[in-house]
Amino acid sequence: MTYDAGHYDVIVIGAGHAGCEAGVAAAKMGANTLMLSMNLDMTGFMPCNPSVGGPAKGVVVREIDALGGVMGKVIDKTYIQMRMLNTGKGPAVRALRAQADKPLYITEMKKTLESQENLTMRQGMVDRLIIEDGVCKGVITETKAAYYAKTVVITTGTFMRGRVIIGDISYESGPNNQRASVTLSEHLEELGLEMVRFKTGTPPRVNSRSIDYSKTEIQPGDEEPLAFSYETTEFITDQIPCWLTYTNEFTHNIINENLGLSAMYSGMIKGTGPRYCPSIEDKVVRFNDKPRHQIFLEPEGRNTEEVYVQGLSTSLPEYVQKEMLQTIPGLEKAEIMRAGYAIEYDAMVPTQLWPTLETKKIPGLFTAGQINGTSGYEEASGQGIMAGINAAAKALGKDPVILDRSQAYIGVMIDDLVTKGTNEPYRLLTSRAEYRLLLRHDNADMRLTEIGYEIGMISEERYARFQEKKRLIQEERKRLEGIIIKTEPHVLEMMDEVGSVMKEAQRASDLLKRPEIKYSLIEKIVPADKDLPADVKEQVEIQTKYEGYITKSMQQVERMKRMEDKKIPDTINYDDVSGIATEAREKLKKVRPLSVGQASRISGVNPADVSILLVYIEQGGHVKAANQ
Amino acid sequence: MQNDTIAAISTPVGEGAIAIVRLSGAEAVAIAAKLFDGKKLTDVPSHTMHYGKLIDPATGEVAEEVMVSVMKAPKTFTREDVVEINCHGGLVSVNRVLELALQEGARLAEPGEFTKRAFLNGRIDLSQAEAVMDLIRAKTDRAMNVALKQMDGRLSRLIQKLRQELLETVAHVEVNIDYPEYDDVEEMSHNMMIEKTQYVYEEIEKLLEMAKQGKILREGLATAIIGRPNVGKSSLMNALVHENKAIVTEIAGTTRDVIEEYVNVRGVPLKLVDTAGIRETEDIVERIGVERSRQVLKQSDLILLVLNYGEALSDEDRQLFEAVAGLDVIVIVNKTDLSQQIDLEEVRKLAGDRPVITTALIEEKGIDELELAIKDTFFAGEIDGGDLSYISNVRHIQLLKQALSSLREAMNGIEMQMPMDIVQIDVTRTWELLGEIIGDTVHESLIDQLFSQFCLGK
């Protein structure tokens, strides 16, 4: 017997990285939202490495922030060090990465959610969904509470039928020895959703006091204050360093001798693991000519001695892990506090989702995060915010929000997932984006603040600030285009200092396009009326310097948009479309793309099929026109 | 996709005396106007036809005499603005016209695309819809089959090799970006990048050069014989034709009658251009005027410049040398049976590094030397005849040219010291364009490359 435990607009199952963003987004949109987590002490828990951001991923955190999400704000308050990566490269690939204080991140995230209006948090394990007439109407917990809602978002991470494997030992478990969620996974399968088995893993954690840091290299944070969130104004100054050491031939010998005991190689593990997150066994076997591999020692927080041994992810038996560590400089006497493990879990085939992250099979049911076959906190958060937005939009009768491939890495990721699917845990890489130059770390606010504001997730105050920033950028760009710099002696002298030669008078904007000339120099030659904020100067410099390339990318986007604008009616019956190749037909029936553009990205759908589809759709248009 | 302007040859290739290149789309008239030397096409009334010359805006050269029809939307086949350029039926000229249209911004039409547009714009009746889809299917399949058959295994291997080269470079840059702390790969430098791109650039240039030679093998080396009156041009003609097996094609029905003679000189197929003209008047320059003869010269792959041994060099002779500057020329000093009046030193100076052959055609002397010179000119470089059947497909050539220009942009970026991740955008584009030639553009292979080439991850 169940009891009626309450009625909501949106229910979010899970309070990991996807769940937190989904819950906050739905609540901020104005939906009465319930978050259910099997353990509230694990809100925003990081089961793997203690870091947030990095190339592509860091841009996602900024995108989440521009849309009004929480990840950036929380990490800004809880990092132990922050670095800007790829500073020697172009602006398109710069990225922030923070080392997180794991326990503090949980505390801060939990506090953020608890103080969010419209958001109720409750502990409970969901066993099944309430389905009426094929539509999802709520959830039932193992303690028989029935919660009703207009839409439900599942963000269960690696918990579904999770199984931890260490050497030849394996047991049913979620990450970090939490309970696995078994009933829900079986229930989803019964409902006809297709599941796959994926695998991921973590390295051992060791006690800091047992590490000899003198044998390692220090990796400090940047001194310049940095932040993910556009709202952050306070910076943490006392940063904690990470440390770098290496494996060697002794380490590799131990691995090779014990390979048969690794769950990865003994056949214990059936799930597909991510190539970009290989175990140390994998690295040694696949790249056996490499004499050493990097090992980063990352503190898990300020108030703990636990250190994450990044680079040593493994499913070897515990005693082999110990032997392995003893061969590594600085870790000879390292005490393992938690052993590394591999974890297998159920994920859903993501092509079963609409680009809103709603399942096609069960209206009202959304999924986000690792359950959709991704890997990584940022990937989970990026989906979480979109699932939360769209679940709330549906519950409140508003328009859905779908980001396209030219708007955000989040758009690239979701389009990849729902259009192409994935046969290994999916990670964002900068190379997955066609319009990388547009999807920069520095312009996430330019791309997405407007959208966040329209759906009510950005405050009036922040929006006004954003508008002002936009205005200043435009004005300054216009000013530089209007000013002509002459070859006066003091100008030539300043230019000479940076190794630049000027033979004739030039527009300030054209001068700024030269690689060796920075905005700071232009500013010295022709100062603005008043000093501009640093982020305005940055935009002026980037937008001017890379104008040609940006324009070229924009033109590509225009071409793509024309195909995206050709919508495919949801009433289409692909069996009626003659001339489409069989493989393409099957794929189209499965993915059910919303636009011709999306259809063209499905592997197996070739240009001829796309042409035929276009003709067929237009034909439908003609039929209707003729009938009227 | 509906808005861009497409172009294609719309008459069966090689079957008619007149060929038509058709353009359709918003820019059709503007593109044609850029190429057309005659009335201002942007101002002419719809559904009118105009005579004029087609020029290459890049060089100002005259490419062809043409008739151009301008038909404005909506009363056209596609219901878009349509321009039809009528030109001579030879494959060379029609391809040249098409290439110019593409160069000025038109896109090569996909198979069946005109019909598709006609349908999408409501021009074709609903009942024909099924037929249109079948047509697209059939045309695409056929085009693919033809393209695949046309593609020599060696070409596709070559392209694959170049793509792999680029892919490894791109993957290298990607690793630098996505794994900035990974210490096994050195940072890709501008110097490393320029080396790679330079290599691929030269290889593509070679392919395009081969494409030209492939075309020549199929169609013959367009050869013009020029010289003042009475230097022995028709004797030369006759000598080449009589010595070798002549194939005479008569193509009637164009704006004027042209006879092209095909001869095979020691394995080199020559198409003696405008031979009719030479026969009638002995002087191509005189007959068709300076302008037209320049055009003939520019279109020629080989020029045989004939001088008279028995006369001193005239200004006219020197003008001829000027007219052929930069072209493949063999200088023939004929009539060595007469007493020498010509200054051979000056001739050699004017000829530069081009061969100078002395003949007495009337006595059948020097013909072997001439034939060997023709053979050497054509087979300069290490290409042997067996490899030349390669790249004939306009689509392939077009893609190779695009690849080349996108690589050039990458090289410009390197020169301007743009950051590597920005230079890489153009390198990736080149890789994709080469992929289109062999029908392989799957983006996923980059990620595969990344993880097989480098040991990455936490």
Side-chain angles (χ1 to χ4, degrees):
Chain A
M1 270 305 287
T2 60
Y3 77 97
D4 185 339
H7 292 247
Y8 296 87
D9 292 321
V10 177
I11 295 172
V12 178
I13 307 172
H17 302 281
C20 290
E21 295 295 347
V24 170
K28 278 196 176 179
M29 295 260 300
N32 186 13
T33 306
L34 171 72
M35 277 183 78
L36 286 166
S37 162
M38 65 167 78
N39 184 352
L40 286 177
D41 292 337
M42 294 302 217
T43 303
F45 174 61
M46 299 183 183
C48 206
N49 55 324
S51 78
V52 168
K57 289 162 165 272
V59 185
V60 170
V61 181
R62 287 227 148 182
E63 290 172 352
I64 291 168
D65 187 71
L67 287 168
V70 290
M71 185 177 226
K73 290 190 192 73
V74 174
I75 186 65
D76 280 351
K77 285 183 190 159
T78 58
Y79 62 88
I80 62 167
Q81 70 156 256
M82 182 92 85
R83 287 180 65 190
M84 181 70 87
L85 305 175
N86 288 334
T87 47
K89 305 190 181 82
V93 297
R94 266 167 231 160
L96 275 177
R97 195 187 56 209
Q99 292 300 133
D101 185 320
K102 279 188 185 182
L104 207 56
Y105 190 89
I106 290 177
T107 314
E108 188 61 37
M109 183 59 88
K110 187 155 173 265
K111 195 171 87 187
T112 306
L113 300 191
E114 285 164 351
S115 47
Q116 174 65 47
E117 242 176 278
N118 290 335
L119 186 61
T120 307
M121 295 185 72
R122 193 154 301 170
Q123 190 157 297
M125 163 112 89
V126 171
D127 272 353
R128 31 189 323 114
L129 304 172
I130 301 169
I131 306 287
E132 285 172 17
D133 299 328
V135 178
C136 184
K137 299 278 188 188
V139 304
I140 296 169
T141 68
E142 66 177 344
T143 52
K144 304 299 172 205
Y147 294 98
Y148 296 86
K150 291 175 183 131
T151 54
V152 172
V153 186
I154 306 183
T155 68
T156 46
T158 60
F159 281 80
M160 289 209 307
R161 248 186 307 213
R163 198 166 71 108
V164 162
I165 305 120
I166 307 173
D168 57 353
I169 297 154
S170 92
Y171 51 90
E172 198 174 83
S173 170
N176 199 31
N177 284 352
Q178 297 182 78
R179 293 173 63 198
S181 163
V182 178
T183 332
L184 183 60
S185 184
E186 286 168 0
H187 178 61
L188 293 180
E189 225 162 25
E190 278 164 28
L191 291 172
L193 292 168
E194 191 187 346
M195 312 296 273
V196 284
R197 201 86 176 132
F198 277 168
K199 171 258 159 187
T200 185
T202 73
R205 327 288 152 98
V206 300
N207 190 315
S208 177
R209 291 189 301 141
S210 61
I211 298 173
D212 181 358
Y213 288 110
S214 68
K215 293 182 179 164
T216 66
E217 298 163 31
I218 191 163
Q219 305 270 301
D222 288 356
E223 279 178 24
E224 186 197 341
L226 298 166
F228 277 104
S229 174
Y230 289 92
E231 290 186 48
T232 296
T233 49
E234 282 172 37
F235 304 90
I236 296 166
T237 48
D238 59 328
Q239 300 190 64
I240 297 176
C242 296
W243 306 86
L244 172 63
T245 181
Y246 297 91
T247 61
N248 52 44
E249 57 178 305
F250 300 108
T251 327
H252 301 178
N253 284 344
I254 290 174
I255 291 166
N256 281 321
E257 279 163 23
N258 291 288
L259 211 54
L261 300 171
S262 163
M264 286 296 298
Y265 286 83
S266 65
M268 284 276 288
I269 290 177
K270 306 262 184 322
T272 312
R275 279 175 298 176
Y276 44 77
C277 204
S279 61
I280 187 71
E281 297 95 289
D282 263 350
K283 292 191 217 176
V284 170
V285 170
R286 287 186 48 223
F287 295 90
N288 57 12
D289 55 332
K290 275 196 70 169
R292 64 178 199 177
H293 296 277
Q294 288 169 310
I295 301 290
F296 290 92
L297 303 174
E298 306 179 344
E300 295 229 321
R302 288 169 196 276
N303 296 313
T304 170
E305 295 296 328
E306 266 189 276
V307 171
Y308 183 91
V309 187
Q310 199 237 86
L312 213 64
S313 169
T314 182
S315 62
L316 282 162
E318 211 169 280
Y319 70 91
V320 182
Q321 295 186 23
K322 195 176 170 196
E323 280 176 39
M324 217 157 64
L325 285 171
Q326 282 165 356
T327 63
I328 298 173
L331 298 177
E332 294 90 343
K333 292 180 180 156
E335 284 169 23
I336 295 181
M337 292 181 70
R338 301 177 207 221
Y341 60 87
I343 183 164
E344 272 192 320
Y345 56 96
D346 282 356
M348 239 181 57
V349 173
T351 49
Q352 298 173 96
L353 299 167
W354 297 114
T356 55
L357 298 179
E358 185 175 13
T359 58
K360 291 166 191 168
K361 191 150 254 157
I362 307 167
L365 179 66
F366 294 71
T367 59
Q370 233 156 339
I371 186 178
N372 289 344
T374 61
S375 145
Y377 312 142
E378 304 80 359
E379 284 86 347
S381 299
Q383 292 167 68
I385 193 167
M386 298 316 294
I389 289 170
N390 285 314
K394 180 157 188 173
L396 303 173
K398 293 181 184 168
D399 287 338
V401 179
I402 297 170
L403 302 177
D404 72 37
R405 301 183 73 90
S406 69
Q407 279 176 307
Y409 271 100
I410 297 177
V412 171
M413 167 177 65
I414 293 179
D415 183 64
D416 278 348
L417 288 172
V418 305
T419 308
K420 297 176 189 157
T422 181
N423 49 20
E424 66 179 326
Y426 177 100
R427 178 196 158 156
L428 262 177
L429 298 161
T430 58
S431 54
R432 296 200 195 265
E434 298 86 342
Y435 316 110
R436 181 155 82 191
L437 193 55
L438 304 180
L439 305 185
R440 302 192 307 272
H441 142 98
D442 62 80
N443 72 350
D445 58 339
M446 296 288 141
R447 292 184 271 127
L448 301 170
T449 308
E450 206 80 51
I451 295 172
Y453 176 71
E454 269 169 36
I455 57 175
M457 292 186 40
I458 294 290
S459 68
E460 290 291 342
E461 185 266 326
R462 175 166 171 185
Y463 186 63
R465 251 192 311 123
F466 165 72
Q467 290 290 5
E468 175 65 5
K469 177 177 173 186
K470 249 172 59 173
R471 190 182 64 80
L472 288 173
I473 295 167
Q474 265 170 12
E475 273 182 15
E476 180 62 359
R477 285 201 65 191
K478 222 169 154 192
R479 184 180 80 91
L480 296 186
E481 274 160 27
I483 291 183
I484 289 170
I485 297 179
K486 299 207 173 71
T487 54
E488 293 164 78
H490 76 282
V491 172
L492 294 180
E493 200 177 299
M494 279 195 263
M495 301 220 3
D496 188 53
E497 275 171 32
V498 294
S500 202
V501 182
M502 191 165 86
K503 292 200 176 93
E504 53 193 11
Q506 275 196 5
R507 277 201 188 87
S509 53
D510 287 337
L511 223 44
L512 184 52
K513 285 189 177 134
R514 297 190 183 181
E516 70 276 12
I517 303 235
K518 302 244 176 322
Y519 176 84
S520 53
L521 181 72
I522 299 287
E523 189 183 24
K524 256 191 253 166
I525 301 173
V526 284
D529 292 340
K530 58 176 185 214
D531 195 31
L532 294 165
D535 58 347
V536 170
K537 292 180 188 175
E538 183 188 35
Q539 285 307 303
V540 171
E541 175 161 337
I542 292 171
Q543 288 179 15
T544 308
K545 234 182 208 3
Y546 302 102
E547 194 177 20
Y549 286 92
I550 291 173
T551 310
K552 206 158 71 178
S553 288
M554 300 288 277
Q555 285 164 353
Q556 285 172 2
V557 170
E558 278 310 308
R559 284 200 286 277
M560 172 210 55
K561 284 259 165 75
R562 274 181 240 143
M563 292 285 271
E564 298 304 307
D565 288 345
K566 284 264 172 217
K567 299 296 173 208
I568 300 176
D570 54 3
T571 52
I572 194 166
N573 180 354
Y574 288 106
D575 287 327
D576 287 351
V577 189
S578 67
I580 288 189
T582 315
E583 188 198 351
R585 191 191 307 278
E586 291 312 310
K587 290 276 179 70
L588 286 165
K589 278 160 85 171
K590 193 170 176 188
V591 175
R592 289 159 73 190
L594 297 182
S595 68
V596 175
Q598 195 193 346
S600 69
R601 287 191 294 274
I602 302 172
S603 61
V605 175
N606 66 37
D609 300 312
V610 173
S611 288
I612 289 167
L613 195 57
L614 257 178
V615 170
Y616 181 82
I617 294 164
E618 287 301 318
Q619 182 190 358
H622 290 307
V623 174
K624 273 177 214 140
N627 288 346
Q628 275 160 12
Chain B
M1 59 171 295
Q2 293 298 98
N3 305 358
D4 60 353
T5 298
I6 52 172
I9 300 168
S10 68
T11 40
V13 173
E15 287 175 21
I18 293 184
I20 297 173
V21 171
R22 182 190 279 159
L23 289 95
S24 176
E27 293 295 308
V29 180
I31 291 171
K34 275 191 267 180
L35 299 172
F36 189 68
D37 183 11
K39 270 193 185 159
K40 206 173 164 198
L41 293 182
T42 44
D43 293 345
V44 302
S46 184
H47 293 76
T48 53
M49 206 170 189
H50 309 274
Y51 169 80
K53 287 164 194 152
L54 212 63
I55 48 163
D56 180 349
T59 59
E61 274 169 32
V62 175
E64 192 70 31
E65 272 178 315
V66 292
M67 295 288 286
V68 174
S69 328
V70 175
M71 290 157 280
K72 300 232 174 91
K75 283 188 182 168
T76 68
F77 175 60
T78 55
R79 288 215 169 154
E80 300 172 333
D81 285 356
V82 168
V83 173
E84 290 184 348
I85 304 173
N86 300 256
C87 55
H88 297 150
L91 203 53
V92 186
S93 47
V94 71
N95 272 347
R96 174 91 178 115
V97 173
L98 177 61
E99 273 171 30
L100 285 173
L102 300 177
Q103 175 191 311
E104 290 310 310
R107 170 171 68 70
L108 190 63
E110 291 159 18
E113 197 172 0
F114 286 99
T115 320
K116 186 174 96 185
R117 287 191 176 200
F119 175 78
L120 292 182
N121 293 326
R123 169 70 171 68
I124 293 180
D125 188 67
L126 177 63
S127 61
Q128 290 170 271
E130 294 282 301
V132 173
M133 286 190 263
D134 289 345
L135 185 73
I136 294 171
R137 175 96 259 161
K139 281 206 176 185
T140 310
D141 287 348
R142 200 174 64 208
M144 274 172 131
N145 285 337
V146 170
L148 284 177
K149 272 187 200 151
Q150 274 187 347
M151 201 175 343
D152 188 289
R154 217 188 110 168
L155 170 66
S156 109
R157 276 197 299 280
L158 248 167
I159 302 254
Q160 263 157 10
K161 189 175 146 241
L162 295 181
R163 289 193 85 216
Q164 187 58 26
E165 199 80 34
L166 292 175
L167 187 62
E168 281 169 23
T169 312
V170 169
H172 189 147
V173 177
E174 292 295 340
V175 166
N176 292 157
I177 294 167
D178 273 330
Y179 296 87
E181 283 159 337
Y182 181 62
D183 64 353
D184 256 32
V185 228
E186 62 182 306
E187 192 86 9
M188 171 74 80
S189 67
H190 282 99
N191 282 341
M192 286 157 76
M193 188 64 128
I194 196 87
E195 215 172 277
K196 291 273 188 186
T197 46
Q198 189 75 43
Y199 165 75
V200 176
Y201 190 88
E202 280 163 16
E203 289 297 307
I204 296 177
E205 270 190 326
K206 269 191 221 160
L207 280 176
L208 279 168
E209 194 56 35
M210 283 187 203
K212 217 165 113 193
Q213 308 235 21
K215 183 189 88 186
I216 287 164
L217 256 197
R218 267 197 337 281
E219 294 166 13
L221 196 66
T223 307
I225 302 175
I226 60 166
R228 282 187 292 126
N230 206 28
V231 293
K233 295 192 295 289
S234 47
S235 310
L236 175 58
M237 225 356 250
N238 289 332
L240 287 171
V241 171
H242 291 147
E243 278 287 301
N244 302 284
K245 269 193 184 150
I247 319 141
V248 181
T249 359
E250 217 160 340
I251 306 169
T254 39
T255 47
R256 65 201 159 80
D257 290 354
V258 175
I259 294 176
E260 292 172 341
E261 304 245 18
Y262 285 86
V263 294
N264 190 319
V265 176
R266 306 200 181 212
V268 182
L270 296 193
K271 182 177 74 179
L272 298 169
V273 179
D274 275 318
T275 52
I278 293 173
R279 279 187 168 161
E280 276 165 25
T281 68
E282 278 271 309
D283 189 352
I284 174 173
V285 178
E286 208 172 77
R287 193 180 77 84
I288 57 180
V290 178
E291 182 67 7
R292 174 92 175 105
S293 69
R294 285 228 163 118
Q295 184 194 337
V296 168
L297 291 183
K298 297 272 174 183
Q299 279 186 357
S300 302
D301 301 307
L302 177 65
I303 290 149
L304 304 177
L305 197 169
V306 190
L307 302 169
N308 190 341
Y309 186 79
E311 285 175 10
L313 272 179
S314 70
D315 284 347
E316 246 181 289
D317 288 329
R318 291 188 188 93
Q319 275 170 15
L320 284 174
F321 270 105
E322 272 171 40
V324 300
L327 304 173
D328 278 331
V329 181
I330 297 175
V331 179
I332 297 150
V333 183
N334 190 28
K335 302 196 181 178
T336 48
D337 47 316
L338 303 179
S339 71
Q340 181 177 0
Q341 298 295 325
I342 201 163
D343 179 355
L344 273 178
E345 272 312 299
E346 194 189 349
V347 171
R348 290 215 168 84
K349 224 169 118 191
L350 288 168
D353 53 7
R354 295 176 289 203
V356 177
I357 311 286
T358 51
T359 58
L361 291 167
I362 217 101
E363 297 174 2
E364 297 188 0
K365 278 185 188 158
I367 295 173
D368 280 337
E369 286 80 357
L370 173 61
E371 290 190 357
L372 283 171
I374 291 173
K375 188 183 166 207
D376 290 348
T377 305
F378 182 63
F379 288 130
E382 291 82 57
I383 308 145
D384 69 79
D387 286 351
L388 294 177
S389 57
Y390 287 169
I391 315 155
S392 47
N393 189 307
V394 180
R395 193 182 74 91
H396 294 166
I397 295 174
Q398 192 59 29
L399 284 165
L400 280 173
K401 284 187 176 165
Q402 284 177 26
L404 204 63
S405 97
S406 131
L407 208 51
R408 199 175 303 124
E409 285 186 37
M411 291 158 86
N412 287 343
I414 297 171
E415 202 151 297
M416 284 156 61
Q417 296 285 311
M418 279 290 163
M420 201 48 72
D421 55 281
I422 285 183
V423 171
Q424 191 242 28
I425 296 173
D426 288 317
V427 179
T428 309
R429 179 77 194 126
T430 311
W431 175 73
E432 285 169 354
L433 285 164
L434 290 179
E436 278 179 45
I437 297 177
I438 55 173
D440 175 15
T441 49
V442 189
H443 211 69
E444 199 65 21
S445 53
L446 171 58
I447 288 160
D448 292 339
Q449 179 69 31
L450 210 61
F451 292 111
S452 59
Q453 192 176 343
F454 304 102
C455 175
L456 301 166
K458 293 176 169 178

